[in-house]
Amino acid sequence: VKRVAIVGVGLIGASFALALRKAGFDGEIIGVSSPRSIEAGLAAGAIARGASLEEAAESADLIYLAQPIDRILNTLPRLGRIAPPDCLITDAGSTKREIIAAAAEHVRRAAFVGGHPMAGKESRGAESADADLFRNRPYVLATDLVPKVHAETHLPAIREWLQRIGAVVYEMSAAEHDRTVALTSHLPQLLSTALAATLAKQQTSAVSRVFGPGLMDMTRLALSAPEVWMSVLESNRDAVLDAIGNYQETLSNLRENLERGELNDVFGTASRFAQSLRK
Amino acid sequence: VKRVAIVGVGLIGASFALALRKAGFDGEIIGVSSPRSIEAGLAAGAIARGASLEEAAESADLIYLAQPIDRILNTLPRLGRIAPPDCLITDAGSTKREIIAAAAEHVRRAAFVGGHPMAGKESRGAESADADLFRNRPYVLATDLVPKVHAETHLPAIREWLQRIGAVVYEMSAAEHDRTVALTSHLPQLLSTALAATLAKQQTSAVSRVFGPGLMDMTRLALSAPEVWMSVLESNRDAVLDAIGNYQETLSNLRENLERGELNDVFGTASRFAQSLRK
C-alpha cells in the first residue's frame, strides 16, 4: 500500500489515518470529504491534502470508506466504475450485507473487502481522532469478497495493517456479522432508547431525580443521535427484528418467573455471560 | 443524636458511620453485625465496638438498619419491642412499603422513618466504605412516618444529618418511592439481565467477541448477584410488573415503528430524557 484515500474524514476515517501513520505507513494519505471535514483532517494531521473522489480513485491503492452507510451506498456506484484493478476498496460501515451487495453490483475492476471496526467514542469528527481508537477493539472483515479471487490477493495487506494498528481482526460472513451486531449493538441501542422513552412517558418528575448510577449506564446509548442510527437499522431490519423478538421472549419469561419468584436461573445465566464479556 | 447503632455493618452501614464522623458527629457509633463484619467495621474506623441488638436498642438514640430487606423485616419485630421512646429507627432498604408496614405493626414506643440512599458501588463490605458515598446522591425519606406525630419530632434530626453528609434528600410516600425505583432501578436491572440472558442463548460465539463499549454499559447491571435482588424484587413485585408492562408496550411500538421506518420520534424523546438525567 503506497497511497491511501480516506473517503469521509470523520472520527473513524481520521483515526484510521492517524493509526496507519503511527504503525509506520509512510505513503501519502489523502482525504475525500466536505471542505469543513478536510480542514479538520488537515488540522488533526490525519491527511496531507483533500481530493475529489475521481482523483482519489486514480491515484490511491487503498480506498477507505468511512462514511455513514447511506453515503457508502451512494459512493460505491461512482467509485466502482472508476477504481482501477490494483486498487483495494474497504469500508467501515456498521452493517455489511447491503454494502457488499452494492459492491458486488458496482465494483467493476477494483477489489472490495467489507469491514467494521467496533470502535468509536461519544464525540465526533476528525477533531476527536485518535491513533489508538482501534487498539484492542474487534474489527470484522467480511469473508464475502468482491470479486472473490481478485480480492483474496489484496486481503493479506488490509488484514496486516489492521493488526499493526492494534485491532483484533475477526473474519466472518456478512450475514453472520449482521446477525451478531443486531444482537450486540443494535438491540442494546434500541433497548436503551426504549427505556428512556418509557421513563419519559411517566407523569411523575421523581423518575428523573431518584435514580442511581445503573440508570446512567442503561440510558447512555439513548443519547445517540437518530440520524446515525436510521440507516444502520434500515440496512439490518430483518436481523434487528429477530433480535428484538428474541429479547421480547426472554423478557416475557423473566416476567413470568418474577410472578412465580423464580429468578435465580436467569440471573445466574445473565451474570455468567456478562462476566464472560469482561474476560 | 448522641449515640448511633449501625445494624448491618456492610458498605452502606459503614459508609454512613464514616460520613457521620466526617460531618462532625462526635458521639459513639456501635455496630450490630456478624463477627466478620464487626471486625471489618472496626478496621475501617467506622464503629467503636460491636454490640448485640438488645444492647444497641437500649443505649442508641439513632438506629440505622443497613441490612438486606429480608433481614430488616426480621430485625424490626425484635427491635420494635425493645427500642425506647426516645429512639429513632431508620433504614436503608431498597424498597419501602413492606418495611414501613412491618414497622407500623411492630415498632411500639420508638419512632421509625424509612429511608433509601440511591448510592452504592460494585465492591461490598465495610472494607469498601467511603465517607463520601452519599454525597450528591439522592436519598429518599418516606413520608409514611411510624407513628406519625412521634416520628415527626425526630424527622428534622435525621434530615439534617443526611444533608450534612451531602445527600440530596427527597421526601415522598413509600408507594411513590416504590413505583419510582421500579422504573429507575428495578426495571433497568431486569432489562440488563434479560439482554445478557438473550445473548447467552445464542449458538454463535461471535456475540461474546464482536461488540463495542455499548454492550458493556448495557450488561454491567447483569453482573449483580441474584441474592441481593430477590428480596428487592419480591417486596416490589406489583410495581415492577407494571414497569415491565410499560416497557413491553414501548418496545412493541418501537418494533412496529422500525418495520415502518419511523423511529425518529422515539429516538428524539429518549435522547431528550437521557440528556435531562445528566443535567
Side-chain angles (χ1 to χ4, degrees), chain B residues 168-180:
Chain B
V168 184
V169 179
Y170 294 104
E171 298 184 25
M172 63 184 70
S173 70
E176 186 180 1
H177 168 272
D178 286 2
R179 262 197 313 273
T180 302

Side-chain angles (χ1 to χ4, degrees), chain A residues 64-268:
Chain A
Y64 191 85
L65 306 181
Q67 303 163 289
I69 293 172
D70 49 348
R71 302 287 303 284
I72 294 175
L73 292 171
N74 285 332
T75 302
L76 277 170
R78 289 173 58 201
L79 189 58
R81 281 189 297 272
I82 52 180
D86 58 347
C87 175
L88 174 66
I89 306 168
T90 188
D91 81 307
S94 306
T95 61
K96 295 273 62 77
R97 284 174 299 167
E98 272 199 20
I99 288 172
I100 289 171
E105 188 179 344
H106 298 291
V107 175
R108 294 281 170 245
R109 297 170 297 169
F112 180 87
V113 178
H116 179 203
M118 305 289 290
K121 44 165 101 169
E122 279 167 44
S123 50
R124 290 159 72 182
E127 298 85 344
S128 305
D130 175 359
D132 291 317
L133 191 69
F134 306 101
R135 189 160 300 282
N136 300 321
R137 304 296 324 154
Y139 199 119
V140 175
L141 287 179
T143 50
D144 319 63
L145 307 174
V146 178
K148 181 137 186 79
V149 175
H150 182 32
E152 255 171 7
T153 64
H154 283 281
L155 188 58
I158 177 72
R159 189 195 290 130
E160 194 192 320
W161 276 111
L162 294 180
Q163 285 162 346
R164 284 172 72 172
I165 68 176
V168 183
V169 179
Y170 294 104
E171 298 185 25
M172 64 185 70
S173 70
E176 186 180 1
H177 169 272
D178 286 3
R179 262 198 312 273
T180 302
V181 295
L183 287 156
T184 65
S185 167
H186 311 166
L187 177 63
Q189 171 63 48
L190 292 174
L191 298 181
S192 179
T193 294
L195 175 60
T198 301
L199 267 58
K201 275 189 301 193
Q202 304 302 316
Q203 299 301 315
T204 160
S205 65
V207 295
S208 52
R209 298 201 180 120
V210 174
F211 60 87
L215 186 64
M216 299 298 269
D217 284 344
M218 295 295 288
T219 56
R220 193 163 298 118
L221 288 175
L223 294 167
S224 306
E227 58 272 20
V228 177
W229 276 95
M230 291 310 134
S231 67
V232 174
L233 295 170
E234 258 171 46
S235 66
N236 203 24
R237 191 175 289 167
D238 55 347
V240 174
L241 289 172
D242 274 357
I244 297 176
N246 272 335
Y247 186 82
Q248 286 177 313
E249 198 181 311
T250 310
L251 189 58
S252 293
N253 288 340
L254 187 150
R255 185 184 176 153
E256 283 164 29
N257 288 342
L258 174 62
E259 283 174 332
R260 286 199 300 264
E262 291 170 7
L263 283 173
N264 269 304
D265 283 359
V266 63
F267 265 79

